[in-house]
């Protein structure tokens, strides 16, 4: 398929999708299902229905594509969190909205099943010092900061406790996500949310 075809071909419904978006969507599916290292450029271009040149016209390298995937995954999670936050009533519910957003991610209809946090999965495959690992670290730090912000609102006179509790809840969330990935469903995330709610009620 030519680059022109790749830029005008659609998904069978709705408006056509640009080649860059189709490549990124295909890469996201394959990276999550099969891993970053195991997924080659030929696999991605075949699934996206584009020529290899089209990929390199949109991404400078596979590493660039991986970073774009990680950035997109981060933005996807933020979208889920913001949607949950719209219905959150107060700081306590704001903290739980973070847990709910992780559960929402786990509930996606993954073609080959749920495998845990796509960001951490990718980071585990990248070498130390790789820019992609910095993207994942920034995401995890932002999640903890979001929790901390809600806790600071909940505990305005106890800033140290708010920060410590935020770290505690971030560890609880990440541990639950790791177990959920191993077990292939979001049940551990439901348990973690209940634990977080109980802890918040004791503050």
């Amino acid at each position: 398929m030519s680059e022109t075809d790749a830029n005008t071909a659609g998904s069978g419904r709705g408006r056509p999708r640009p080649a860059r978006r189709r490549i990124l969507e295909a890469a996201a599916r394959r990276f999550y299902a099969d891993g970053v290292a195991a997924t080659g450029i030929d696999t991605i271009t075949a699934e996206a229905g584009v020529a290899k040149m089209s990929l390199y016209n949109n991404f400078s390298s596979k590493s660039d594509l991986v970073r774009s995937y990680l950035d997109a995954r981060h933005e996807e999670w933020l979208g889920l969190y913001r949607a949950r936050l719209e219905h959150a009533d107060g700081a306590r519910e704001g903290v739980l909205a973070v847990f709910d957003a992780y559960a929402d991610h786990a509930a996606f209809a993954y073609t080959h099943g749920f495998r845990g946090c796509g960001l951490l999965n990718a980071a585990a495959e990248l070498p130390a010092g790789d820019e992609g690992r910095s993207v994942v670290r920034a995401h995890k730090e932002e999640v903890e900061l979001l929790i901390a912000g809600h806790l600071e609102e909940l505990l305005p006179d106890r800033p140290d406790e708010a920060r410590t509790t935020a770290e505690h809840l971030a560890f609880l969330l990440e541990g639950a996500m790791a177990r959920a990935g191993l077990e292939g469903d979001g049940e551990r995330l439901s348990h973690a949310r209940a634990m977080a709610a109980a802890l918040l009620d004791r503050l």
Side-chain angles (χ1 to χ4, degrees):
M1 180 181 288
S2 69
E3 185 178 351
T4 300
D5 291 336
N7 279 280
T8 58
S11 61
R13 67 179 188 275
R15 293 184 352 183
R17 294 173 296 163
R20 180 182 175 88
R21 179 179 167 190
R22 296 173 68 201
I23 293 165
L24 192 53
E25 288 174 348
R29 289 190 295 271
R30 301 321 316 170
F31 287 157
Y32 187 79
D34 302 328
V36 170
T39 302
I41 293 300
D42 290 342
T43 299
I44 294 168
T45 54
E47 180 154 336
V50 302
K52 188 178 293 188
M53 183 58 69
S54 183
L55 186 147
Y56 287 114
N57 284 341
N58 286 280
F59 302 93
S60 62
S61 63
K62 182 180 176 181
S63 293
D64 183 29
L65 178 56
V66 171
R67 287 192 296 272
S68 296
Y69 158 66
L70 295 173
D71 285 335
R73 189 88 185 184
H74 170 66
E75 291 301 322
E76 183 178 69
W77 182 85
L78 282 178
L80 294 172
Y81 164 70
R82 289 166 183 152
R84 284 288 188 169
L85 195 60
E86 287 180 5
H87 303 286
D89 183 16
R92 178 185 181 277
E93 294 302 310
V95 172
L96 297 178
V98 176
F99 283 77
D100 289 334
Y102 267 64
D104 290 341
H105 237 171
F108 281 6
Y110 296 105
T111 304
H112 299 287
F114 177 60
R115 298 184 61 246
C117 177
L119 289 161
L120 279 182
N121 291 349
E125 294 191 61
L126 301 175
D130 188 278
E131 186 178 339
R133 291 178 65 89
S134 298
V135 173
V136 177
R137 177 177 176 177
H139 166 76
K140 298 302 182 183
E141 289 174 345
E142 183 168 351
V143 170
E144 186 172 332
L145 284 172
L146 290 171
I147 296 172
H150 294 303
L151 285 167
E152 286 165 5
E153 183 181 344
L154 192 65
L155 305 170
D157 301 322
R158 293 181 277 168
D160 290 343
E161 184 178 355
R163 287 190 294 271
T164 299
T165 304
E167 185 177 28
H168 179 105
L169 290 175
F171 287 164
L172 172 63
L173 180 57
E174 292 304 327
M177 192 63 166
R179 287 291 298 273
L182 287 171
E183 294 163 12
D185 61 52
E187 186 175 356
R188 292 287 179 177
L189 291 167
S190 296
H191 293 174
R193 187 192 192 280
M195 292 176 190
L199 185 152
L200 292 170
D201 290 341
R202 294 196 296 270
L203 294 177

